[in-house]
Structures are given as C-alpha cells and as structure tokens.
Amino acid sequence: MTQTAARRIGRTLALVLPVVLVLSGTLAVTSVPWANRSTESQMLTASSENVSVRATPRAPHEVLREKLLADLQQKDPGVALTNLQRAVESRPSLARHCMTIARDLGRAAVARYGPTRAQSFSRPVCDTSFAAGVSQQAQGA
C-alpha cells in the first residue's frame, strides 16, 4: 500500500465516519422505548404544542404606556403625566407617541376618577392630549 492510497483512505474515513456516527446515534435515540414498556419501540417525535414561543420584544413606547397606566392606577394621573414628560425629555424618540399615550392616560383617568376629577389633573403635556382623552372618554361615558 502506497502512501497516497493510505491518505485517500484516511480522507474518506474522515469525511464518512462522522456522518455515519451522527446518523447511527440519531436512529438509536429515536427508537428507544422511553415510557411505555409494552410497546417494542416508540418513535420520538417533536410536537409543536410543547414548544415554548419566544416573547416578541415590545416597543419602548408600549412599555412606557403600561408603566404610566400602572402609575395612574397606583398613584394619580399627575404622577403619570410628570413621568411621561420626563421620559419624553430623556428619550426624544418617544415624542411621536406622546400624544397617544397622554390621550390613553386621560381615558384611564376618567374610568378611575370620573370626568370632573380627571380633568383637574390636566396639564400641558403633549399638546393637551390628556385633556382630549378625558373629553373623549367623558362624551362616550
């Protein structure tokens, strides 16, 4: 046997052997009787029902909205509006969502405090969108 023939055999084994080992290991695992001993072989299958779904990352304005609504419920709308103003000042990218968040806070304030008391918390944050939300919710209530 020449040195070239030995190299060819070695290269062939180096390519084929890992594939054979992986396939034989996979086949061995899929045919093991895991739970039920009455069945001779039980195939291991993946089920989409048991796969956990990764949570999609939420946008910063959605996180802020939830935090501010919680502030409104736990404290008062004034605290939530102050925190909204500070958040927009520290992250200018949130400014385009400021009006909708303030309007949502106004609606939530009416649901919690009633239209008259909710209006007393109004301040000029995000072009008076809080007051607009209070007004819209009061008209619909």
Side-chain angles (χ1 to χ4, degrees):
M1 184 186 244
T2 65
Q3 199 173 19
T4 327
R7 281 188 183 156
R8 262 191 233 140
I9 292 172
R11 286 181 185 161
T12 304
L13 284 175
L15 292 173
V16 174
L17 191 58
V19 173
V20 171
L21 290 173
V22 168
L23 288 175
S24 64
T26 303
L27 293 173
V29 169
T30 59
S31 63
V32 172
W34 291 103
N36 192 355
R37 298 212 183 258
S38 65
T39 308
E40 281 187 31
S41 73
Q42 182 177 5
M43 296 302 286
L44 179 64
T45 58
S47 171
S48 63
E49 295 171 9
N50 298 329
V51 176
S52 63
V53 178
R54 287 188 177 203
T56 57
R58 295 186 350 225
H61 69 275
E62 293 170 352
V63 173
L64 177 63
R65 176 183 284 116
E66 287 182 19
K67 180 191 173 302
L68 295 174
L69 287 171
D71 285 348
L72 185 140
Q73 296 297 323
Q74 295 169 358
K75 298 169 187 167
D76 66 58
V79 172
L81 286 170
T82 300
N83 290 340
L84 172 61
Q85 188 168 1
R86 288 181 182 155
V88 170
E89 287 170 358
S90 67
R91 287 186 75 179
S93 64
L94 294 171
R96 67 178 182 195
H97 303 286
C98 186
M99 292 176 65
T100 57
I101 293 173
R103 196 174 309 119
D104 291 346
L105 290 172
R107 290 177 181 147
V110 170
R112 175 144 174 113
Y113 296 101
T116 305
R117 182 136 186 253
Q119 190 63 40
S120 70
F121 292 102
S122 185
R123 48 178 86 151
V125 176
C126 304
D127 295 331
T128 64
S129 293
F130 177 83
V134 169
S135 173
Q136 289 172 354
Q137 189 68 20
Q139 289 174 1

